[in-house]
Amino acid sequence: MKTRVQNRAATISTIQQILRVQGMAKLITLGAEEELQIVDQQSLELATHDFERGQLDFPDRNGSSSCELHKAVVELQTPICHTPDQIVASVADMREIIRLRAQAQGQRILSAGVHPFSNWKEQEINKDLHKHQHYIRLVDEYADIMRSLVSYGFHVHLGLPKGIPAMAVFNSLRNSLAPVLAISLSSPFYEGRDTGMQSWRHSMLDRLPRMGTPDIWRSEEEYFQHINLLRKVGTLEAQHGMWEDLRLHHHYHTLEVRICDATPSLEHIWLITALLQCEVATLVEDYQRGRLPKPLSRACLEENKWRVRRRGLAASLIDWNSETPVSLYDYFEHWLTRLTPAAQELNLLDRMREKVQALFIQGASADIQRGIFQRSENYQTIVQHLIHETEDAHFASASYLQ
């Protein structure tokens, strides 16, 4: 009798847990930023783009855009979204707007972590004292490290439901940074050379301070106290935060995942966004149940990040609980199983499984680029491929504008 009562209680508890997940996952809001490369349509080298002229001639639509330090960069930003489909729709719309701007200036656009052969020393920067004081200060502080940092990323913002302590979710979300990087890998070539890496972009970024895997923070207050201290001593400008692979955003108060290379594939953008939305929804549920996964140390996470940067989808991640290597493919299988309740609530599970399978069959952008170079031995051919994949990207979804 006691066993039957215990079983019934366990069943009720399970149902309650499922009910708590239902509706909670849909409260995780999304936003994204993508840094696009502007290249000359003839030479395919990085090109100086007149951002203000382009924005005037072709206004933003279903998103916004901004310039960056280097004139060969245009960043697009999505509005606040609720589904990965909406993120992809905004990215596609804004890519088309920026493509039209570039075309009017004899240029093309592409999405990848770095340009395969352009030389950083030839890139112009925005240095108008009245318009770009922030960029001027960065160059003054970081000198050639900042001048040479011609790199391009894809960032995802995740908004939490009210009442959920952001830092508790932040600490455990760190554990999932390496596998989402693996989906985006797109920077194997740099300045006309195969770097041997799948993401050379991170080899560039890691030269700066306050980069890489973030520490574990005891509270949100402690995190922002540290940022305020850095501002006080002059290390950070007012109204600016740190640049790590994951940060608690200083304005929007979102969890901003910054680890990903820019990637031409809308399918990969969708998959990154879907996995992160489901992961955060699952962590919120774990928090409510008092079962958040133990945050791994920075050293352990950096080890797995290195493996992904070097070996890509062929990497084995270390399962630090069992202290054994696990193939990235098996990692994704286990991860999808863990995310199943949230993914089912969001109606994402089947498409997530399909896109993970396609990823391991077709490869990340870095794999595809290497295959093209092995056949052509021509860096221009890689750039032409990236232009086509970015400007003519398609997305397979019946609920594209959901």
Side-chain angles (χ1 to χ4, degrees), residues 104-146:
Q105 299 182 36
Q107 299 163 347
R108 306 292 292 272
I109 67 168
L110 66 89
S111 183
V114 300
H115 189 279
F117 64 84
S118 284
N119 190 313
W120 69 264
K121 301 181 189 71
E122 299 172 1
Q123 307 313 312
E124 293 189 35
I125 61 176
N126 285 303
K127 51 186 178 183
D128 185 304
L129 182 60
H130 300 290
K131 299 178 182 178
H132 306 297
Q133 290 184 10
H134 172 57
Y135 299 147
I136 292 170
R137 183 190 181 282
L138 290 179
V139 172
D140 180 65
E141 174 67 17
Y142 302 110
D144 266 8
I145 294 178
M146 186 57 67

Side-chain angles (χ1 to χ4, degrees), residues 254-284:
T254 53
L255 300 174
E256 184 187 3
V257 177
R258 299 168 53 87
I259 195 170
C260 293
D261 282 4
T263 176
S265 170
L266 294 179
E267 302 286 337
H268 294 170
I269 284 175
W270 186 94
L271 180 58
I272 290 165
T273 308
L275 285 166
L276 287 172
Q277 186 178 30
C278 291
E279 175 64 20
V280 169
T282 302
L283 290 175
V284 168

Side-chain angles (χ1 to χ4, degrees), residues 25-38:
K26 293 182 179 179
L27 297 178
I28 307 300
T29 59
L30 301 168
E33 300 160 340
E34 180 181 42
E35 295 164 335
L36 290 171
Q37 302 186 32
I38 309 296

Side-chain angles (χ1 to χ4, degrees), residues 16-275:
Q16 289 173 337
Q17 291 165 12
I18 292 172
L19 289 173
R20 283 201 300 271
V21 171
Q22 291 178 347
M24 182 61 71
K26 293 182 179 179
L27 297 178
I28 307 300
T29 59
L30 301 168
E33 300 160 340
E34 180 181 42
E35 295 164 335
L36 290 171
Q37 302 186 32
I38 309 296
V39 299
D40 182 83
Q41 64 183 4
Q42 299 300 325
S43 70
L44 304 182
E45 295 264 7
L46 287 173
T48 296
H49 183 71
D50 187 337
F51 174 79
E52 292 183 352
R53 170 189 155 194
Q55 194 174 47
L56 181 64
D57 293 342
F58 299 92
D60 296 334
R61 181 186 70 212
N62 191 20
S64 58
S65 62
S66 61
C67 62
E68 286 287 332
L69 171 65
H70 295 92
K71 292 186 177 182
V73 185
V74 174
E75 181 185 275
L76 65 84
Q77 303 98 22
T78 73
I80 296 174
C81 299
H82 298 277
T83 69
D85 295 275
Q86 293 172 352
I87 290 289
V88 168
S90 175
V91 169
D93 285 346
M94 284 303 302
R95 279 184 178 183
E96 175 61 11
I97 292 296
I98 297 169
R99 183 193 72 80
L100 292 172
R101 296 177 190 173
Q103 183 182 57
Q105 299 182 36
Q107 299 163 347
R108 306 292 292 272
I109 67 168
L110 66 89
S111 183
V114 300
H115 189 279
F117 64 84
S118 284
N119 190 313
W120 69 264
K121 301 181 189 71
E122 299 172 1
Q123 307 313 312
E124 293 189 35
I125 61 176
N126 285 303
K127 51 186 178 183
D128 185 304
L129 182 60
H130 300 290
K131 299 178 182 178
H132 306 297
Q133 290 184 10
H134 172 57
Y135 299 147
I136 292 170
R137 183 190 181 282
L138 290 179
V139 172
D140 180 65
E141 174 67 17
Y142 302 110
D144 266 8
I145 294 178
M146 186 57 67
R147 294 187 190 94
S148 65
L149 200 62
V150 192
S151 67
Y152 302 78
F154 175 72
H155 305 161
V156 178
H157 291 257
L158 300 118
L160 297 176
K162 290 183 179 180
I164 302 298
M167 199 50 65
V169 178
F170 174 102
N171 287 331
S172 293
L173 181 59
R174 296 160 59 259
N175 298 359
S176 299
L177 293 174
V180 293
L181 170 63
I183 302 168
S184 73
L185 296 164
S186 63
S187 50
F189 300 103
Y190 182 65
E191 294 195 346
R193 180 178 176 81
D194 188 332
T195 66
M197 306 292 291
Q198 300 291 85
S199 176
W200 184 252
R201 169 176 163 266
H202 277 283
S203 299
M204 301 166 69
L205 293 175
D206 286 349
R207 293 177 294 177
L208 286 169
R210 299 173 296 283
M211 280 290 190
T213 303
D215 291 323
I216 298 169
W217 293 91
R218 286 180 297 184
S219 68
E220 186 176 327
E221 291 74 19
E222 184 182 73
Y223 180 82
F224 283 113
Q225 283 173 4
H226 180 68
I227 288 177
N228 288 331
L229 175 60
L230 293 178
R231 292 170 179 170
K232 179 180 179 181
V233 300
T235 296
L236 287 181
E237 293 177 82
Q239 308 306 313
H240 286 273
M242 295 185 284
W243 298 323
E244 294 170 310
D245 294 341
L246 170 66
R247 69 178 177 181
L248 183 54
H249 198 276
H250 42 285
H251 289 314
Y252 309 129
H253 216 69
T254 53
L255 300 174
E256 184 187 3
V257 177
R258 299 168 53 87
I259 195 170
C260 293
D261 282 4
T263 176
S265 170
L266 294 179
E267 302 286 337
H268 294 170
I269 284 175
W270 186 94
L271 180 58
I272 290 165
T273 308
L275 285 166

Side-chain angles (χ1 to χ4, degrees), residues 1-12:
M1 183 68 173
K2 183 178 179 181
T3 301
R4 291 172 64 183
V5 170
Q6 289 173 333
N7 288 342
R8 182 173 179 272
T11 301
I12 292 173

